[in-house]
Amino acid sequence: MVPVSAKSGKNIDVLLESILVVTELRELKANSKKRATGTVIEAKLDKGRGPVATILIKNGTLSVGDSIIAGTKTGKIRAMFDDKGRKVKSAGPSYPVEVLGFEEVPDAGDIVHAGDEKNIKAVADERRAQEKEKNLTQKNKNVSLDDLFNRINEGELKTLNVIIKTDVQGSLEALKSSLEKLSNNEVRVTCIHGGVGAITENDVTLALSSKAIIIGFNVRPDVNAKTMAENAGVDIRLYRIIYDAMDDITKAMKGMLAPKFKEEILGQVTVRNVFKISGVGAVAGSYVNSGKITRNAKIRLYRNNVLITDCEIATLKRFKDDVKEVVAGFECGVSLVNYNDIKVDDVFEVYQMTQIEE
Protein backbone atom coordinates (compact mmCIF):
# COMPACT_ATOMS: atom_id res chain seq x y z
CA MET A 1 0.00 0.00 0.00
CA VAL A 2 1.26 3.45 -0.93
CA PRO A 3 -0.42 6.52 0.65
CA VAL A 4 -0.67 9.24 -2.02
CA SER A 5 -2.16 12.70 -2.49
CA ALA A 6 -3.48 13.86 -5.86
CA LYS A 7 -3.62 17.42 -4.45
CA SER A 8 0.01 17.73 -3.38
CA GLY A 9 1.53 15.00 -5.55
CA LYS A 10 2.89 13.21 -2.49
CA ASN A 11 4.30 9.70 -3.17
CA ILE A 12 3.13 9.54 -6.81
CA ASP A 13 6.70 8.62 -7.80
CA VAL A 14 6.73 5.92 -5.11
CA LEU A 15 3.43 4.53 -6.44
CA LEU A 16 4.79 4.32 -9.99
CA GLU A 17 7.96 2.61 -8.78
CA SER A 18 5.87 0.13 -6.77
CA ILE A 19 3.75 -0.69 -9.82
CA LEU A 20 6.90 -1.38 -11.86
CA VAL A 21 8.29 -3.63 -9.10
CA VAL A 22 5.05 -5.65 -8.96
CA THR A 23 4.95 -6.07 -12.75
CA GLU A 24 8.56 -7.29 -12.77
CA LEU A 25 8.08 -9.71 -9.87
CA ARG A 26 4.88 -11.18 -11.32
CA GLU A 27 6.13 -10.94 -14.89
CA LEU A 28 3.04 -9.05 -15.99
CA LYS A 29 3.57 -8.38 -19.68
CA ALA A 30 1.40 -7.48 -22.66
CA ASN A 31 1.87 -8.95 -26.11
CA SER A 32 2.22 -6.06 -28.53
CA LYS A 33 2.26 -8.33 -31.61
CA LYS A 34 -1.30 -9.69 -31.35
CA ARG A 35 -4.55 -8.04 -32.46
CA ALA A 36 -5.48 -5.20 -30.17
CA THR A 37 -7.97 -5.23 -27.33
CA GLY A 38 -8.82 -2.23 -25.15
CA THR A 39 -11.53 -0.32 -23.32
CA VAL A 40 -13.63 2.69 -24.37
CA ILE A 41 -12.93 5.37 -21.74
CA GLU A 42 -15.15 8.08 -23.26
CA ALA A 43 -17.07 8.63 -26.50
CA LYS A 44 -18.96 11.48 -28.15
CA LEU A 45 -20.43 12.65 -31.44
CA ASP A 46 -18.30 15.44 -32.93
CA LYS A 47 -19.92 17.77 -35.48
CA GLY A 48 -16.94 17.78 -37.85
CA ARG A 49 -15.36 14.38 -37.20
CA GLY A 50 -18.31 12.09 -36.45
CA PRO A 51 -18.18 9.47 -33.67
CA VAL A 52 -15.02 9.87 -31.57
CA ALA A 53 -13.88 7.34 -28.95
CA THR A 54 -11.03 7.50 -26.45
CA ILE A 55 -9.60 3.99 -26.09
CA LEU A 56 -7.03 2.62 -23.64
CA ILE A 57 -5.13 -0.27 -25.27
CA LYS A 58 -4.82 -3.30 -22.98
CA ASN A 59 -3.09 -5.79 -25.26
CA GLY A 60 -1.78 -5.93 -28.81
CA THR A 61 -1.25 -3.00 -31.19
CA LEU A 62 -4.03 -0.91 -32.73
CA SER A 63 -3.24 0.61 -36.13
CA VAL A 64 -4.89 2.95 -38.63
CA GLY A 65 -6.95 0.84 -41.05
CA ASP A 66 -7.85 -1.85 -38.48
CA SER A 67 -11.47 -3.04 -38.32
CA ILE A 68 -12.82 -2.76 -34.76
CA ILE A 69 -15.89 -3.59 -32.70
CA ALA A 70 -17.10 -2.27 -29.33
CA GLY A 71 -20.38 -3.77 -28.14
CA THR A 72 -22.62 -3.61 -31.23
CA LYS A 73 -20.74 -0.64 -32.76
CA THR A 74 -18.27 -1.33 -35.56
CA GLY A 75 -15.95 0.69 -37.75
CA LYS A 76 -12.62 1.00 -39.48
CA ILE A 77 -9.98 3.31 -38.00
CA ARG A 78 -9.46 6.40 -40.17
CA ALA A 79 -7.18 8.29 -37.80
CA MET A 80 -5.77 8.17 -34.27
CA PHE A 81 -4.49 10.92 -31.96
CA ASP A 82 -2.43 10.75 -28.78
CA ASP A 83 -3.12 12.63 -25.54
CA LYS A 84 -1.44 15.76 -26.96
CA GLY A 85 -3.59 15.77 -30.13
CA ARG A 86 -0.80 14.51 -32.39
CA LYS A 87 -1.62 12.04 -35.17
CA VAL A 88 -0.29 8.51 -34.61
CA LYS A 89 -0.36 5.47 -36.88
CA SER A 90 -0.36 2.80 -34.15
CA ALA A 91 -0.80 2.39 -30.39
CA GLY A 92 0.50 -0.37 -28.14
CA PRO A 93 -0.39 -1.65 -24.64
CA SER A 94 -1.22 0.99 -21.96
CA TYR A 95 -1.43 3.68 -24.67
CA PRO A 96 -4.53 5.95 -24.68
CA VAL A 97 -5.66 7.16 -28.12
CA GLU A 98 -8.56 9.10 -29.60
CA VAL A 99 -10.00 7.06 -32.48
CA LEU A 100 -12.01 8.17 -35.52
CA GLY A 101 -13.84 5.63 -37.66
CA PHE A 102 -16.72 4.16 -35.67
CA GLU A 103 -20.03 4.13 -37.58
CA GLU A 104 -21.90 4.97 -34.34
CA VAL A 105 -20.89 6.27 -30.91
CA PRO A 106 -19.79 3.29 -28.74
CA ASP A 107 -20.63 3.00 -25.05
CA ALA A 108 -18.13 3.97 -22.35
CA GLY A 109 -16.76 0.81 -20.75
CA ASP A 110 -17.24 -1.37 -23.85
CA ILE A 111 -14.38 -3.71 -24.70
CA VAL A 112 -12.78 -2.98 -28.06
CA HIS A 113 -11.50 -5.76 -30.31
CA ALA A 114 -9.61 -5.44 -33.58
CA GLY A 115 -10.01 -8.22 -36.12
CA ASP A 116 -11.02 -9.40 -39.55
CA GLU A 117 -13.71 -7.15 -41.06
CA LYS A 118 -15.95 -10.07 -42.08
CA ASN A 119 -15.84 -11.70 -38.64
CA ILE A 120 -16.43 -8.39 -36.87
CA LYS A 121 -19.58 -7.71 -38.91
CA ALA A 122 -20.87 -11.22 -38.13
CA VAL A 123 -20.32 -10.71 -34.40
CA ALA A 124 -21.99 -7.29 -34.54
CA ASP A 125 -25.06 -8.73 -36.32
CA GLU A 126 -25.37 -11.46 -33.69
CA ARG A 127 -25.10 -8.97 -30.83
CA ARG A 128 -27.69 -6.65 -32.41
CA ALA A 129 -30.09 -9.58 -32.81
CA GLN A 130 -29.68 -10.46 -29.13
CA GLU A 131 -30.24 -6.82 -28.14
CA LYS A 132 -33.36 -6.57 -30.31
CA GLU A 133 -34.79 -9.75 -28.82
CA LYS A 134 -34.15 -8.40 -25.33
CA ASN A 135 -35.97 -5.13 -26.13
CA LEU A 136 -38.97 -6.97 -27.59
CA THR A 137 -39.46 -8.95 -24.39
CA GLN A 138 -40.11 -5.77 -22.40
CA LYS A 139 -43.84 -5.02 -22.60
CA ASN A 140 -45.29 -2.28 -20.40
CA LYS A 141 -48.19 0.18 -20.49
CA ASN A 142 -47.76 3.76 -21.67
CA VAL A 143 -46.99 6.29 -18.95
CA SER A 144 -45.96 9.88 -18.35
CA LEU A 145 -44.45 11.38 -15.20
CA ASP A 146 -47.66 13.27 -14.48
CA ASP A 147 -49.81 10.14 -14.09
CA LEU A 148 -47.11 7.79 -12.81
CA PHE A 149 -48.31 7.78 -9.17
CA ASN A 150 -51.90 6.95 -10.14
CA ARG A 151 -50.77 4.03 -12.28
CA ILE A 152 -48.70 2.66 -9.39
CA ASN A 153 -51.66 2.89 -7.00
CA GLU A 154 -53.94 1.16 -9.50
CA GLY A 155 -51.49 -1.69 -9.76
CA GLU A 156 -50.99 -1.08 -13.47
CA LEU A 157 -47.29 -0.26 -13.37
CA LYS A 158 -44.33 -2.22 -12.09
CA THR A 159 -41.62 -0.93 -14.41
CA LEU A 160 -40.93 2.59 -15.67
CA ASN A 161 -39.07 2.41 -18.98
CA VAL A 162 -36.86 5.34 -19.92
CA ILE A 163 -34.88 6.21 -23.05
CA ILE A 164 -31.90 8.47 -22.37
CA LYS A 165 -30.15 10.71 -24.91
CA THR A 166 -27.19 12.89 -23.87
CA ASP A 167 -24.47 15.09 -25.34
CA VAL A 168 -21.56 12.82 -24.30
CA GLN A 169 -21.21 9.17 -23.34
CA GLY A 170 -20.02 9.91 -19.79
CA SER A 171 -23.22 11.80 -19.01
CA LEU A 172 -25.27 8.89 -20.36
CA GLU A 173 -23.66 6.40 -17.98
CA ALA A 174 -24.01 8.74 -14.99
CA LEU A 175 -27.68 9.53 -15.70
CA LYS A 176 -28.57 5.90 -16.38
CA SER A 177 -26.96 4.74 -13.15
CA SER A 178 -28.57 7.53 -11.09
CA LEU A 179 -32.10 6.90 -12.42
CA GLU A 180 -31.96 3.12 -12.04
CA LYS A 181 -30.95 3.56 -8.39
CA LEU A 182 -34.34 5.23 -7.78
CA SER A 183 -36.08 1.85 -8.14
CA ASN A 184 -38.10 0.77 -5.11
CA ASN A 185 -40.52 -1.99 -4.08
CA GLU A 186 -43.39 -0.55 -6.12
CA VAL A 187 -41.73 0.55 -9.33
CA ARG A 188 -38.49 -0.30 -11.08
CA VAL A 189 -36.80 2.29 -13.32
CA THR A 190 -35.25 0.62 -16.36
CA CYS A 191 -33.20 2.24 -19.11
CA ILE A 192 -34.16 0.31 -22.27
CA HIS A 193 -32.02 2.43 -24.59
CA GLY A 194 -29.38 5.13 -24.35
CA GLY A 195 -27.38 7.07 -26.88
CA VAL A 196 -25.41 10.18 -27.71
CA GLY A 197 -26.89 12.94 -29.89
CA ALA A 198 -30.24 14.54 -30.63
CA ILE A 199 -33.57 12.78 -29.91
CA THR A 200 -34.68 11.24 -33.21
CA GLU A 201 -37.78 9.62 -34.73
CA ASN A 202 -36.28 6.19 -33.96
CA ASP A 203 -36.19 7.10 -30.26
CA VAL A 204 -39.84 8.17 -30.36
CA THR A 205 -40.82 4.98 -32.20
CA LEU A 206 -39.05 2.87 -29.57
CA ALA A 207 -40.67 4.86 -26.77
CA LEU A 208 -44.08 4.37 -28.36
CA SER A 209 -43.67 0.59 -28.73
CA SER A 210 -42.17 0.09 -25.25
CA LYS A 211 -44.32 2.75 -23.52
CA ALA A 212 -41.25 4.62 -22.32
CA ILE A 213 -40.41 8.19 -21.29
CA ILE A 214 -37.64 9.95 -23.22
CA ILE A 215 -35.14 11.94 -21.17
CA GLY A 216 -32.79 14.36 -22.94
CA PHE A 217 -29.70 15.71 -21.19
CA ASN A 218 -28.16 18.77 -22.90
CA VAL A 219 -29.79 17.70 -26.19
CA ARG A 220 -33.18 18.28 -27.81
CA PRO A 221 -35.50 16.46 -30.23
CA ASP A 222 -35.13 17.25 -33.92
CA VAL A 223 -38.15 18.80 -35.68
CA ASN A 224 -39.58 15.50 -36.98
CA ALA A 225 -39.11 13.73 -33.65
CA LYS A 226 -40.79 16.56 -31.75
CA THR A 227 -43.83 16.56 -34.05
CA MET A 228 -44.08 12.78 -33.95
CA ALA A 229 -43.87 12.73 -30.12
CA GLU A 230 -46.60 15.37 -29.79
CA ASN A 231 -48.92 13.46 -32.13
CA ALA A 232 -48.24 10.11 -30.47
CA GLY A 233 -48.39 11.38 -26.90
CA VAL A 234 -44.83 10.34 -26.05
CA ASP A 235 -43.49 12.17 -22.98
CA ILE A 236 -40.15 13.95 -23.63
CA ARG A 237 -38.38 15.60 -20.70
CA LEU A 238 -35.30 17.82 -21.23
CA TYR A 239 -32.74 18.53 -18.50
CA ARG A 240 -29.40 20.23 -17.92
CA ILE A 241 -28.81 18.90 -14.39
CA ILE A 242 -28.92 15.19 -13.50
CA TYR A 243 -30.42 15.90 -10.07
CA ASP A 244 -33.38 17.69 -11.67
CA ALA A 245 -34.22 14.55 -13.64
CA MET A 246 -33.85 12.40 -10.52
CA ASP A 247 -35.98 14.82 -8.51
CA ASP A 248 -38.83 14.83 -11.08
CA ILE A 249 -39.00 11.04 -11.29
CA THR A 250 -38.73 10.66 -7.50
CA LYS A 251 -41.60 13.14 -6.99
CA ALA A 252 -43.66 11.39 -9.65
CA MET A 253 -43.12 8.04 -7.96
CA LYS A 254 -44.28 9.54 -4.66
CA GLY A 255 -47.24 11.34 -6.22
CA MET A 256 -45.73 14.74 -5.53
CA LEU A 257 -45.25 15.95 -9.11
CA ALA A 258 -47.58 18.94 -9.36
CA PRO A 259 -45.96 21.63 -11.50
CA LYS A 260 -47.46 25.11 -11.17
CA PHE A 261 -45.90 26.24 -14.42
CA LYS A 262 -45.84 24.69 -17.85
CA GLU A 263 -43.31 25.33 -20.59
CA GLU A 264 -44.72 26.63 -23.86
CA ILE A 265 -42.54 26.60 -26.99
CA LEU A 266 -43.19 29.80 -28.95
CA GLY A 267 -40.94 29.39 -31.97
CA GLN A 268 -37.62 28.47 -33.55
CA VAL A 269 -35.06 30.94 -34.88
CA THR A 270 -31.88 30.36 -36.92
CA VAL A 271 -28.83 32.64 -36.66
CA ARG A 272 -27.73 33.79 -40.14
CA ASN A 273 -25.13 36.39 -39.19
CA VAL A 274 -23.42 37.75 -36.06
CA PHE A 275 -22.52 41.42 -35.55
CA LYS A 276 -20.23 42.75 -32.83
CA ILE A 277 -21.55 46.13 -31.64
CA SER A 278 -19.64 48.27 -29.14
CA GLY A 279 -21.50 48.66 -25.86
CA VAL A 280 -24.04 45.97 -26.81
CA GLY A 281 -21.98 42.86 -27.57
CA ALA A 282 -22.98 40.17 -30.05
CA VAL A 283 -26.17 40.73 -32.01
CA ALA A 284 -27.53 37.76 -33.96
CA GLY A 285 -29.02 38.57 -37.34
CA SER A 286 -31.70 35.89 -37.33
CA TYR A 287 -34.59 34.40 -39.27
CA VAL A 288 -37.76 33.16 -37.56
CA ASN A 289 -38.39 29.65 -38.98
CA SER A 290 -41.60 28.89 -37.11
CA GLY A 291 -43.90 30.42 -34.50
CA LYS A 292 -42.64 33.73 -33.15
CA ILE A 293 -40.05 35.35 -30.92
CA THR A 294 -41.21 37.78 -28.22
CA ARG A 295 -39.23 40.30 -26.21
CA ASN A 296 -40.19 38.86 -22.79
CA ALA A 297 -39.57 35.21 -23.73
CA LYS A 298 -36.61 33.03 -22.82
CA ILE A 299 -34.18 31.38 -25.22
CA ARG A 300 -32.29 28.11 -25.37
CA LEU A 301 -29.29 28.24 -27.71
CA TYR A 302 -28.54 24.95 -29.46
CA ARG A 303 -25.46 24.22 -31.52
CA ASN A 304 -25.57 20.98 -33.53
CA ASN A 305 -28.61 19.93 -31.44
CA VAL A 306 -26.61 20.26 -28.20
CA LEU A 307 -27.75 22.79 -25.60
CA ILE A 308 -25.17 25.57 -25.11
CA THR A 309 -26.98 28.05 -22.86
CA ASP A 310 -30.40 28.96 -21.49
CA CYS A 311 -30.93 32.69 -21.00
CA GLU A 312 -33.14 35.73 -21.53
CA ILE A 313 -33.46 38.13 -24.46
CA ALA A 314 -31.70 41.48 -23.97
CA THR A 315 -32.92 43.23 -27.13
CA LEU A 316 -35.21 42.35 -30.03
CA LYS A 317 -35.14 44.57 -33.12
CA ARG A 318 -36.58 44.85 -36.62
CA PHE A 319 -34.01 46.90 -38.52
CA LYS A 320 -33.26 49.72 -36.00
CA ASP A 321 -36.58 49.62 -34.14
CA ASP A 322 -37.21 47.84 -30.84
CA VAL A 323 -40.19 45.47 -31.21
CA LYS A 324 -42.22 43.26 -28.90
CA GLU A 325 -42.38 40.28 -31.24
CA VAL A 326 -41.36 38.98 -34.68
CA VAL A 327 -43.34 36.20 -36.41
CA ALA A 328 -42.32 33.38 -38.76
CA GLY A 329 -40.95 34.43 -42.14
CA PHE A 330 -39.33 37.65 -40.95
CA GLU A 331 -35.79 38.59 -39.92
CA CYS A 332 -34.75 40.23 -36.67
CA GLY A 333 -31.79 41.18 -34.51
CA VAL A 334 -31.40 39.41 -31.18
CA SER A 335 -28.97 39.95 -28.31
CA LEU A 336 -28.87 37.82 -25.18
CA VAL A 337 -28.41 38.74 -21.52
CA ASN A 338 -24.78 38.19 -20.44
CA TYR A 339 -23.99 35.91 -23.40
CA ASN A 340 -22.02 36.82 -26.54
CA ASP A 341 -20.64 33.50 -27.88
CA ILE A 342 -23.21 33.27 -30.68
CA LYS A 343 -22.26 31.61 -33.97
CA VAL A 344 -23.78 31.36 -37.44
CA ASP A 345 -26.23 28.39 -37.77
CA ASP A 346 -26.95 28.37 -34.03
CA VAL A 347 -30.62 27.66 -33.31
CA PHE A 348 -32.69 29.61 -30.77
CA GLU A 349 -35.60 27.76 -29.18
CA VAL A 350 -37.94 30.46 -27.87
CA TYR A 351 -40.15 29.54 -24.91
CA GLN A 352 -42.08 30.93 -21.97
CA MET A 353 -43.37 29.52 -18.69
CA THR A 354 -47.16 29.78 -18.33
CA GLN A 355 -48.97 29.29 -15.05
CA ILE A 356 -51.35 26.36 -14.85
CA GLU A 357 -54.71 27.08 -13.29
CA GLU A 358 -55.45 24.67 -10.46
Side-chain angles (χ1 to χ4, degrees), residues 196-210:
V196 174
I199 298 168
T200 65
E201 289 180 273
N202 289 338
D203 299 319
V204 177
T205 301
L206 178 58
L208 189 60
S209 62
S210 58

Side-chain angles (χ1 to χ4, degrees), residues 164 171-182 191 246:
I164 303 173
S171 300
L172 173 63
E173 296 301 321
L175 187 55
K176 177 182 176 182
S177 174
S178 298
L179 293 181
E180 290 185 341
K181 285 179 181 178
L182 297 177
C191 176
M246 294 173 62

Side-chain angles (χ1 to χ4, degrees), residues 94-108:
S94 300
Y95 202 87
V97 283
E98 194 176 60
V99 172
L100 308 185
F102 275 103
E103 295 173 358
E104 300 175 73
V105 179
D107 295 333

Side-chain angles (χ1 to χ4, degrees), residues 142-339:
N142 198 10
V143 68
S144 70
L145 288 187
D146 295 321
D147 68 358
L148 175 58
F149 182 66
N150 292 333
R151 302 293 271 280
I152 295 172
N153 283 344
E154 293 168 4
E156 294 183 9
L157 184 70
K158 294 299 179 184
T159 302
L160 172 62
N161 289 335
V162 294
I163 294 170
I164 303 173
K165 297 300 288 289
T166 63
D167 53 344
V168 295
Q169 189 68 41
S171 300
L172 173 63
E173 296 301 321
L175 187 55
K176 177 182 176 182
S177 174
S178 298
L179 293 181
E180 290 185 341
K181 285 179 181 178
L182 297 177
S183 300
N184 56 36
N185 294 331
E186 296 187 3
V187 60
R188 182 164 60 93
V189 181
T190 303
C191 176
I192 62 170
H193 174 67
V196 174
I199 298 168
T200 65
E201 289 180 273
N202 289 338
D203 299 319
V204 177
T205 301
L206 178 58
L208 189 60
S209 62
S210 58
K211 311 306 178 188
I213 294 167
I214 299 176
I215 292 178
F217 184 76
N218 279 345
V219 296
R220 64 168 186 165
D222 60 36
V223 176
N224 293 335
K226 183 178 178 182
T227 303
M228 183 179 178
E230 290 173 352
N231 294 336
V234 173
D235 194 8
I236 297 179
R237 299 277 172 144
L238 305 178
Y239 299 95
R240 294 184 66 189
I241 301 172
I242 288 178
Y243 297 108
D244 286 345
M246 294 173 62
D247 191 46
D248 272 3
I249 289 184
T250 301
K251 286 180 179 178
M253 292 167 68
K254 293 179 179 179
M256 295 169 59
L257 190 63
K260 295 182 180 179
F261 291 87
K262 182 179 180 181
E263 180 183 296
E264 180 186 355
I265 303 298
L266 298 179
Q268 188 183 79
V269 180
T270 300
V271 177
R272 290 186 168 180
N273 210 336
V274 179
F275 306 95
K276 302 292 184 181
I277 300 177
S278 178
V280 178
V283 175
S286 309
Y287 180 80
V288 183
N289 300 315
S290 61
K292 63 181 179 179
I293 178 172
T294 62
R295 172 65 184 81
N296 59 352
K298 294 186 176 181
I299 274 183
R300 293 192 187 95
L301 188 156
Y302 287 92
R303 188 169 299 152
N304 192 31
N305 282 323
V306 174
L307 180 63
I308 303 300
T309 187
D310 190 335
C311 58
E312 297 178 349
I313 297 173
T315 60
L316 177 64
K317 292 180 178 287
R318 277 277 296 159
F319 301 105
K320 294 183 179 181
D321 299 325
D322 288 309
V323 293
K324 291 184 177 180
E325 70 175 41
V326 180
V327 297
F330 289 91
E331 295 181 337
C332 58
V334 183
S335 64
L336 306 180
V337 175
N338 298 325
Y339 191 83

